[in-house]
Amino acid sequence: MTETTWTSPWAGLAVAGVAVLLGLVLASLDALVRGAPAPGGRPVLRAVTPLRAGARLLLERRRTTLAPDRLLRTVALVATPVLALLSAAVLPFGGRSVVSTSADLVWFNAAEALLWAAVWLLGWGPNAVHPLVGAYRFLAQGLAYELPLMFAIITVGVGAGSLRATDVVAAQADGNWFLWTMPVAFVVFLLGAAAFAFWGPFRAPAGADLAGGVLAEVSGVDRLLVQVGRAVFLGVAAATAAAWFLGGQDGPVLPGPVWYALKTLAVMALLVGVGRRWPVVRPERFADVAWVVLLPATILQSAVAAVLVLGGFYR
């Protein structure tokens, strides 16, 4: 049976604020890297582009289509940011998290899996061609990366001997970060996070060739909700990778929270820097690579971690 403990609601609000901040920082880094138009011609102000774009969306009128499914569309719009915030509930801060379960790693993966349904409903709800095709593209990507991602997460649990996020961080004390022995799992985890947010090279579900795909008929506040959810989810994924593979707050000299913040920023920079330089990957091509290369590689990575556990390498 899964054991679950909850901290105070105030801690939950604080973590939700941190999650939104992570999303804003990632969006700002992305604007800097892709060279977004600079307000007033000042490149340094590119970092505030996401805030300006959000303000414009607040003033934009909602777009409507013929005979939309309003209920499913509303569920999708609300679920996207909510799931992103829920994924942050198991982030380990100072040896604890807002929600502590005996299966924190499964909690994070469950939030990702539910995002499948949210994006599908986002494509189905408008009753329009382009969003629906974009939703099918997202499902195709999901079928490709879900199994490799699950094995990457399993590898982390094997190395830590636990599915609790705090135990995963504790198992990496004194520089014994899982990144050194689980590089394949680390890469696959980041690929899966980017694909779940249909961002960077995995933005085919919202591709320009589909007039925006799943986002084609979303505007105004509705579009802002989806964009915030995507950015928050990717920011939380970066913080999760920093905890699960880079030891979280582990590090010399500097305070633990500072190390955690620096590692999270480093993962964000890696996601943005590499992701914006890759071309868009067609879902069927990604499926070929995922099933032929990534899945066997992550299974082998799990086996290697199991052997290291049996040999007493992990404490």
Side-chain angles (χ1 to χ4, degrees):
M1 180 179 295
T2 301
E3 300 176 0
T4 304
T5 57
W6 302 76
T7 57
S8 69
W10 298 110
L13 289 176
V15 170
V18 170
V20 173
L21 179 61
L22 289 171
L24 180 59
V25 171
L26 186 134
S28 298
L29 284 174
D30 184 52
L32 289 171
V33 170
R34 64 184 169 87
R42 300 177 183 177
V44 71
L45 295 181
R46 285 197 180 103
V48 302
T49 299
L51 292 176
R52 289 166 57 88
R56 285 196 299 270
L57 289 175
L58 286 174
L59 302 175
E60 188 176 277
R61 293 182 61 182
R62 282 189 172 96
R63 185 177 301 144
T64 59
T65 55
L66 182 64
D69 191 321
R70 300 186 186 280
L71 175 60
L72 296 184
R73 186 170 181 270
T74 301
V75 170
L77 293 172
V78 173
T80 303
V82 168
L83 289 172
L85 293 175
L86 286 177
S87 68
V90 292
L91 284 177
F93 294 103
R96 61 187 305 179
S97 54
V98 173
V99 177
S100 179
T101 77
S102 56
D104 291 348
L105 276 63
V106 177
W107 174 290
F108 181 84
N109 189 237
E112 290 182 317
L114 289 173
L115 192 61
W116 272 20
V119 177
W120 167 253
L121 294 180
L122 189 64
W124 177 269
N127 189 32
V129 173
H130 291 142
L132 185 59
V133 175
Y136 274 115
R137 285 185 177 181
F138 184 78
L139 291 183
Q141 285 190 170
L143 292 173
Y145 61 71
E146 179 58 26
L147 273 180
L149 179 61
M150 288 179 62
F151 276 105
I153 294 175
I154 288 170
T155 303
V156 173
V158 169
S162 171
L163 295 177
R164 290 185 184 273
T166 51
D167 292 343
V168 170
V169 174
Q172 301 175 75
D174 301 324
N176 295 317
W177 302 347
F178 286 165
L179 174 66
W180 313 133
T181 55
M182 304 176 187
V184 174
F186 176 71
V187 171
V188 170
F189 180 85
L190 294 185
L191 289 176
F196 263 120
F198 50 100
W199 179 88
F202 306 107
R203 60 185 179 274
D209 60 324
L210 287 177
V214 292
L215 302 178
E217 302 296 341
V218 182
S219 61
V221 177
D222 297 342
R223 192 181 188 93
L224 179 61
L225 286 173
V226 177
Q227 297 291 47
V228 167
R230 293 172 67 197
V232 169
F233 178 79
L234 206 54
V236 170
T240 302
W244 291 2
F245 296 97
L246 300 176
Q249 301 186 63
D250 179 63
V253 183
L254 298 176
V258 175
W259 272 115
Y260 196 6
L262 290 176
K263 292 173 184 177
T264 300
L265 285 173
V267 176
M268 284 184 182
L270 178 64
L271 276 170
V272 173
V274 175
R276 279 298 177 186
R277 284 167 173 75
W278 278 8
V280 177
V281 180
R282 292 170 60 92
E284 66 271 22
R285 298 295 185 189
F286 181 44
D288 290 340
V289 174
W291 285 92
V292 176
V293 179
L294 297 183
L295 182 57
T298 50
I299 293 175
L300 179 60
Q301 177 76 97
S302 298
V304 170
V307 171
L308 292 175
V309 168
L310 293 174
F313 183 84
Y314 299 121
R315 291 177 296 175

